[in-house]
Amino acid sequence: MKKRVFSGARPTGRQHIGNYLGAIQNYVSLQEDYDCIYCIVDIHALTTLEDTGNLQENTYEMMLDWLAAGLDPEKSILFVQSHIPEVMELHTLLSMVTPLGWLLRVPTFKEKARMQPHNVNYGLVGYPVLMTADIVLYKAEVVPVGEDQLPHLELAREIARRFNFIFGDTFPEPQAKLTTFPLVIGLDGVLKMSKSYNNYIELAATPEETLERVMTAVTDPARRYRTDPGHPEVCNIFRLHHYFNPGRVEEITSQCRSAGIGCVDCKTLLACGINTVLAPFRERRAVLANKPNYVVEVLAEGVHRAQVIAKGTLEEVKEKIGLLKRPFPEKVYD
Ligand code: TRP
């Protein structure tokens, strides 16, 4: 039997090339060797959102990008976290075996508390417990994540281990599977590519928008004039050629070093490369966006398949804990 993979991502709307190179691409390739479950974690998003007005649209646009990028509902279970309320039930049960001290030490908690001192909510503290519930509800063994999620995964293993110790073997201890692509830096050349820093290129952008965005990118700061030789190793844009212009990296390197091409030329080449590589994605996305209800149908199928697993695990958990069985579960009382 194939091992089970679970991963989740917050509904950030249309995805950018950082999301693609850092996560989505990896999700797609894991589909071949694992039994994969991918989830848009809208409840987790509530820990930092102050405005929920875009949630539906962001969830929809993100799923459309996932599907166009090659996540295949025939191979993987694709669903939205809030559609499986069992995860919140499991979160409560796991919270009883999670010492508060563990949670207060988590670096992302401390950072978020610093960033939103006016909104240090209870859910923010429990974030890693909900994440653990996500993973262990499906008894996933492998969790593809970025490096920033390692403390969360460590905690997930500790919570699973503690539950198993107290109530008997129930959950596998999930292992992180780090994405191999190095962190994608944004157009500002400093921060990680992210919606919140407005330094990103959307996968679904038009070729014109792509060129326009690439032109705003910060390059080698030592190259002030067109005739200054460049230093590809310090230029953020350069790294992207490896993926978007794989056959031309050497040529671009030497042309940059000898000032044979300037930054504007280099950016034009990059935008062309991005537009070529993403053309099939963009076409598929347009086709899927035109199919009425396609995303809704995928999500309906996903929640159906996920819930079968979720219900089974939760039943086992309650039994192991020793909760009194609900009488006559098939009977509906008025
Ligand atoms: N915390 C993850 C992030 O911010 C998202 C997430 C929620 C997740 N639940 C998960 C990732 C379960 C992997 C597995 O990126």
Side-chain angles (χ1 to χ4, degrees):
M1 224 176 82
K2 287 180 180 174
K3 281 192 180 178
R4 181 165 288 153
V5 156
F6 183 98
S7 197
R10 281 183 276 179
T12 49
R14 290 187 171 208
Q15 300 292 281
H16 52 66
I17 62 177
N19 301 129
Y20 182 71
L21 298 174
I24 302 171
Q25 189 180 225
N26 198 27
Y27 292 178
V28 173
S29 61
L30 290 170
Q31 294 184 118
E32 303 312 318
D33 302 318
Y34 295 88
D35 174 13
C36 298
I37 306 182
Y38 298 119
C39 175
I40 297 185
V41 293
D42 54 350
I43 304 298
H44 274 109
L46 302 181
T47 59
T48 51
L49 274 191
E50 268 145 59
D51 173 13
T52 55
N54 293 330
L55 258 182
Q56 290 185 11
E57 192 189 333
N58 283 350
T59 306
Y60 174 88
E61 293 286 335
M62 184 160 160
M63 189 49 77
L64 202 51
D65 278 340
W66 278 10
L67 291 164
L71 288 190
D72 181 351
E74 305 258 310
K75 293 184 186 147
S76 302
I77 299 180
L78 308 171
F79 75 103
V80 174
Q81 188 183 32
S82 64
H83 294 175
I84 307 272
E86 282 82 357
V87 77
M88 297 185 247
E89 226 178 315
L90 183 58
H91 162 263
T92 301
L93 297 173
L94 293 178
S95 77
M96 309 303 171
V97 300
T98 309
L100 184 57
W102 290 2
L103 298 175
L104 297 176
R105 276 198 297 272
V106 172
T108 45
F109 169 69
K110 291 198 241 172
E111 188 195 320
K112 282 175 184 159
R114 208 179 322 114
M115 280 171 64
Q116 53 181 53
H118 51 286
N119 185 19
V120 185
N121 58 74
Y122 175 53
L124 201 56
V125 189
Y127 187 109
V129 185
L130 183 57
M131 182 164 158
T132 305
D134 278 331
I135 300 165
V136 303
L137 186 56
Y138 303 97
K139 301 198 177 185
E141 292 174 79
V142 179
V143 184
V145 282
E147 212 162 314
D148 61 320
Q149 295 297 313
L150 288 181
H152 287 156
L153 249 287
E154 188 55 43
L155 205 64
R157 273 199 299 281
E158 275 163 14
I159 296 172
R161 202 176 304 146
R162 199 165 148 97
F163 185 96
N164 290 344
F165 179 73
I166 299 173
F167 299 114
D169 223 9
T170 311
F171 304 121
E173 287 179 26
Q175 301 294 323
K177 189 172 175 64
L178 280 183
T179 38
T180 46
F181 204 90
L183 187 72
V184 179
I185 302 296
L187 297 172
D188 52 12
V190 184
L191 300 167
K192 120 178 183 189
M193 187 174 284
S194 157
K195 273 263 158 112
S196 36
Y197 305 137
N198 192 21
N199 61 0
Y200 59 90
I201 302 168
E202 271 179 7
L203 298 172
T206 62
E208 298 73 30
E209 283 163 359
T210 304
L211 180 64
E212 210 174 289
R213 292 293 280 184
V214 173
M215 284 300 165
T216 67
V218 176
T219 53
D220 173 7
R223 249 197 128 171
R224 301 200 1 240
Y225 299 103
R226 168 68 185 78
T227 48
D228 290 340
H231 308 84
E233 65 282 0
V234 302
C235 177
N236 174 48
I237 287 303
F238 176 71
R239 270 176 262 173
L240 294 173
H241 285 298
H242 285 287
Y243 188 79
F244 293 107
N245 280 319
R248 304 183 66 175
V249 176
E250 268 178 40
E251 167 204 346
I252 294 169
T253 308
S254 66
Q255 289 287 315
C256 169
R257 282 196 204 288
S258 63
I261 57 170
C263 292
V264 170
D265 306 313
C266 170
K267 288 175 179 180
T268 309
L269 282 170
L270 179 61
C272 279
I274 294 175
N275 289 333
T276 306
V277 171
L278 292 182
F281 163 87
R282 289 169 177 170
E283 239 166 77
R284 268 195 308 275
R285 191 185 203 278
V287 170
L288 297 181
N290 267 324
K291 281 200 203 176
N293 286 330
Y294 179 67
V295 172
V296 173
E297 279 161 20
V298 166
L299 293 179
E301 157 95 16
V303 72
H304 180 73
R305 290 166 64 197
Q307 196 144 34
V308 174
I309 308 169
K311 281 195 186 302
T313 308
L314 199 59
E315 210 167 288
E316 181 189 348
V317 164
K318 288 179 179 174
E319 200 171 305
K320 290 234 166 91
I321 293 176
L323 297 171
L324 180 65
K325 268 224 164 94
R326 185 176 152 200
F328 314 116
E330 71 283 359
K331 196 163 166 181
V332 179
Y333 295 92
D334 302 322

